[in-house]
Amino acid sequence: MKVFAGNSNRLLAEAICNYLNLPLGKATVRRFADQEIFVEIQENVRGEDVFVVQSTSFPTNDHLMELLIMIDAMRRSSARRITAVIPYFGYARQDRKPGPRTPISAKLVANLITEAGADRVLTLDLHAGQIQGFFDIPTDNLYAVPILSRDVKENYDLKNVMVVSPDVGGVVRARALAKRLDCQLAIVDKRRERAGESEVMNVIGDVTGKDCLLIDDIVDSGGTLCNAAEALLNKGATSVTAYITHGVLSGGAVARVTSSKLKELVITDSIQPTTAVQSAHNIRVISTSTLIGEAINRTSQEESVSSLFD
Ligand code: R5P
């Protein structure tokens, strides 16, 4: 088995290699003068079980293209099997046609990765589970909920905790966390009037005097999160903390979170944290390296990956 990384999340790739007790594979991923991507694999991969770690996070198109070119390089270097390890799968939010004449970008990206030559995909908390079906190659979608629930148990008194989904679409994910923590569940009924804006309408469930734990897959602008936190506090919640797998945190999101009433935002390292994230007083990052490392190990050993979540 050999593990390589593009430029999106080398820190996570190194932590995964540390868990696997392997050196990170040697590869150059750099730019020509005109910004085209140049890749060179600097060690033999002929006959190897190769894992390429790359989140398709900002700058999404560059990171996606790096991944495709790395897969192509591995294929042409006679790797036996190539697994694209994509801790954050970008373009996932365009997973259906919400209106006429719109694309399904998640399917297009799945096609690109497959056509480049990936044999398998290993990813984490896909925005919608059905995206697995967009790939006609084996795709393992890992869940961050065991890591998140462990962190909640270590840091919060569960007696007063209420798990909250920030929108109706996230109820299944929130229910999974509530079940693991044996806590009650509430829902914020969010109506989004325009793309990129969110509006909180209603809180379903009595959150008075509760320590609320919001759970979601993505925090991008921070609008959904901060509006939901505001609504919960207005309804009498004692505190609001958020557990979110993918810290996209674009534009002024970090400033929005730091100036909000959120007690804490806990994200994972599926996207490499920026220095702004690292220095934010109420944002904490927990690592997925053990989870992804163990999934890689099991894939390589042809062992069950789903039993990681039993
Ligand atoms: C939406 O369906 C997702 O699960 C997130 O709630 C959304 O992407 C968060 O975006 P933002 O932080 O920009 O409100």
Side-chain angles (χ1 to χ4, degrees), residues 93 127 166-167 169-170 173 190 192 196-198 216-225 250 253 256:
R93 285 170 286 182
H127 177 60
D167 54 31
R173 186 176 298 110
K190 175 189 77 170
R192 199 185 280 272
E197 282 181 22
S198 64
D216 208 346
D217 61 329
I218 295 171
V219 51
D220 186 354
S221 67
T224 304
L225 180 60
S250 46
R256 196 168 196 172

Side-chain angles (χ1 to χ4, degrees), residues 263-295:
K263 187 173 169 190
E264 190 177 39
L265 164 62
V266 181
I267 54 175
T268 78
D269 57 357
S270 66
I271 295 172
Q272 190 158 293
T274 58
T275 44
V277 169
Q278 284 166 344
S279 51
H281 75 276
N282 61 348
I283 305 181
R284 184 158 58 86
V285 183
I286 55 178
S287 187
T288 56
S289 58
T290 303
L291 175 68
I292 296 176
E294 185 51 30

Side-chain angles (χ1 to χ4, degrees), residues 1-244:
M1 172 197 348
K2 290 198 177 185
V3 179
F4 291 83
N7 288 315
S8 70
N9 204 337
R10 284 189 78 83
L11 290 180
L12 176 58
E14 278 161 10
I16 290 170
C17 285
N18 205 22
Y19 173 81
L20 293 168
N21 211 10
L22 283 176
L24 184 60
K26 290 193 182 64
T28 302
V29 185
R30 59 180 172 80
R31 299 283 183 275
F32 287 107
D34 66 353
Q35 297 305 302
E36 280 182 2
I37 294 159
F38 172 81
V39 169
E40 192 175 25
I41 313 300
Q42 289 166 324
E43 57 185 90
N44 181 28
V45 293
R46 192 176 289 270
E48 295 283 355
D49 192 10
V50 165
F51 294 83
V52 180
V53 180
Q54 177 83 329
S55 282
T56 48
S57 52
F58 177 83
T60 309
N61 300 337
D62 285 357
H63 286 157
L64 173 62
M65 206 61 208
E66 280 187 9
L67 174 64
L68 299 175
I69 295 174
M70 286 189 84
I71 293 170
D72 185 73
M74 295 298 175
R75 183 165 60 93
R76 292 176 196 283
S77 309
S78 306
R80 174 169 52 85
R81 182 171 69 173
I82 305 162
T83 302
V85 181
I86 313 173
Y88 171 66
F89 181 81
Y91 280 115
R93 285 170 286 182
Q94 296 169 59
D95 59 353
R96 68 199 155 87
K97 283 185 71 170
R101 297 174 295 282
T102 53
I104 304 182
S105 313
K107 172 62 179 156
L108 172 64
V109 170
N111 286 348
L112 290 170
I113 292 168
T114 310
E115 279 303 309
D119 297 294
R120 304 185 61 91
V121 170
L122 180 61
T123 185
L124 174 73
D125 273 356
L126 280 171
H127 177 60
Q130 308 88 282
I131 294 171
Q132 261 180 304
F134 292 180
F135 290 93
D136 281 331
I137 51 177
T139 299
D140 290 302
N141 180 25
L142 305 176
Y143 302 108
V145 79
I147 307 175
L148 305 183
S149 61
R150 197 177 318 128
D151 191 89
V152 174
K153 285 177 187 162
E154 284 167 10
N155 290 288
Y156 290 90
D157 177 7
L158 291 181
K159 278 193 223 98
N160 204 36
V161 159
M162 190 145 191
V163 173
V164 184
S165 173
D167 54 31
V168 176
V171 173
V172 172
R173 186 176 298 110
R175 197 191 293 133
L177 181 66
K179 199 172 158 199
R180 273 183 185 258
L181 299 176
D182 197 17
C183 290
Q184 289 175 295
L185 177 68
I187 302 163
V188 177
D189 176 26
K190 175 189 77 170
R191 308 271 163 95
R192 199 185 280 272
E193 297 296 327
R194 274 176 293 278
E197 282 181 22
S198 64
E199 191 183 354
V200 173
M201 300 296 288
N202 244 318
V203 177
I204 304 168
D206 185 6
V207 296
T208 316
K210 295 285 185 187
D211 292 315
C212 291
L213 292 185
L214 278 164
I215 177 162
D216 208 346
D217 61 329
I218 295 171
V219 51
D220 186 354
S221 67
T224 304
L225 180 60
C226 295
N227 290 342
E230 197 75 42
L232 293 168
L233 292 167
N234 288 342
K235 291 283 179 186
T238 306
S239 70
V240 183
T241 297
Y243 276 80
I244 300 192

